[in-house]
Amino acid sequence: MLIIECPHCGPRMETEFHYGGQADIAYPADAAELTDAEWGRFLFYRDNPRGQFRERWVHTAGCRRWLTITRDTLSNEFTTAPEAVGTSGTENAREDDRSPRGVAHSPRKEDQP
């Protein structure tokens, strides 16, 4: 079991998180112009290195925020402190309620009247 250090909630068990894949993958600027093969490569092809690998995780059972962490795939240990993922875009959503792509999440219970 991995212990992930959430910068907002503190150390938590891996079961509270969901893996979000390889970090730092940019959405294609011209997605509509891509061929099916190029689009398939963007969606499904990711690096699978031996050693250091930057990953995204979301704390689904806690603060629901996205994190970027570097993990050593040989030892399965995290080698950097988690970074909160910055966001931009969506209006009328609190900064901490947004996913990495700027999509607003549903309101939290404590935010509802």
Side-chain angles (χ1 to χ4, degrees):
M1 176 72 57
L2 295 173
I3 301 295
I4 299 175
E5 182 76 33
C6 177
H8 308 288
C9 304
R12 298 290 191 263
M13 293 176 33
E14 171 190 7
T15 56
E16 290 191 17
F17 294 83
H18 282 143
Y19 180 72
Q22 182 177 350
D24 308 318
I25 301 294
Y27 192 83
D30 59 345
E33 303 299 319
L34 297 178
T35 66
D36 288 345
E38 292 169 329
W39 183 247
R41 183 166 296 282
F42 165 73
L43 289 177
F44 303 112
Y45 284 62
R46 295 292 181 256
D47 295 338
N48 188 16
R50 186 177 176 151
Q52 304 295 309
F53 188 58
R54 284 180 50 87
E55 304 172 324
R56 294 185 329 137
W57 292 77
V58 62
H59 194 182
T60 51
C63 61
R64 299 182 322 171
R65 295 179 181 171
W66 284 89
L67 312 170
T68 298
I69 308 172
T70 302
R71 183 175 59 90
D72 187 316
T73 59
L74 294 173
S75 65
N76 212 28
E77 294 178 1
F78 294 109
T79 57
T80 63
E83 311 163 19
V85 175
T87 61
S88 63
T90 310
E91 296 178 10
N92 300 324
R94 287 191 343 213
E95 184 69 22
D96 59 346
D97 282 346
R98 298 181 193 153
S99 74
R101 296 185 189 237
V103 178
H105 294 290
S106 59
R108 297 178 184 178
K109 288 181 182 178
E110 62 266 20
D111 293 341
Q112 296 177 1

